[in-house]
Amino acid sequence: MTLANRRVRLNKPPRAAQPWLVLVSDEARLPDPREAMGRLPPGAGVILRHYGSEKRQPLAKAVAALARQRRLVLLVAGDWRLAAELGADGLHLPEGMARHGLLAGALGWVWRRKRLLLVACHGTMALGRAQDLGAHGALLSPVFPTASHPGAATIGPVRFRLWARRSRVPVIALGGMTRHRLRHLPGAAGMAAIGSLMP
């Protein structure tokens, strides 16, 4: 299957609607996202990262059960097999994995099961790659200064609006995001956050 054919197939509507509000788990800042999940409205999304945690498997099962109970959209970061095991709504690819990873199994699962595919992006080349992969959305970051990456260069609202307008993939803003800041980012398909969605 060519990349172009895969893109056409992946761009078919997934079973779950793409959420406009996404909670991103973090091993350091939000080691257990369940309390924060309890504050999310139905239809909001949760990205389970916890890449290196020894407790990832039991936490993932508990998070999946809560997501089903609260009607949240669950995406697993970087591990399509775990996503499949949990019956997750989709997969989130870190930028490095989207650029260099062995993606046939992951993309095959997304396509066959009609799951969401979100890709992390930090610039225009990554947004282009997300489009080439047939992603349903891209998380573009960091828009504003963020506690996750103190001192990191930010995209800022002007460049975000420009890049989001040019993107052929819906763009979700990440990095120092609040609902107030989202109102000043026309063209954003939504926001993802850790800090502003924590209890």
Side-chain angles (χ1 to χ4, degrees), residues 18-19 22-24 46-47 49 75 91-95 117-123 126-127 130 135-143 155 160 169-175 190-193:
Q18 179 176 301
V22 181
L23 172 70
V24 181
V46 179
I47 295 177
R49 292 191 303 180
L75 298 106
L91 183 67
H92 172 72
L93 293 180
E95 184 176 321
L117 178 65
L118 299 185
V119 177
C121 300
H122 300 92
L127 285 171
H136 300 103
L139 268 66
L140 182 58
S141 71
V143 183
I155 295 166
F160 178 91
V169 174
V171 179
I172 297 169
L174 172 64
M191 65 169 263

Side-chain angles (χ1 to χ4, degrees), residues 91-165:
L91 183 67
H92 172 72
L93 293 180
E95 184 176 321
M97 186 175 180
R99 190 168 54 242
H100 301 297
L102 298 173
L103 300 176
L107 297 179
W109 175 75
V110 168
W111 166 61
R112 286 191 309 274
R113 300 296 182 182
K114 296 183 180 178
R115 301 305 203 228
L116 277 168
L117 178 65
L118 299 185
V119 177
C121 300
H122 300 92
T124 53
M125 288 184 67
L127 285 171
R129 179 64 175 156
Q131 177 189 331
D132 288 343
L133 291 175
H136 300 103
L139 268 66
L140 182 58
S141 71
V143 183
F144 299 103
T146 170
S148 295
H149 302 284
T154 60
I155 295 166
V158 174
R159 275 192 297 178
F160 178 91
R161 287 193 293 265
L162 178 64
W163 294 354
R165 192 180 312 127

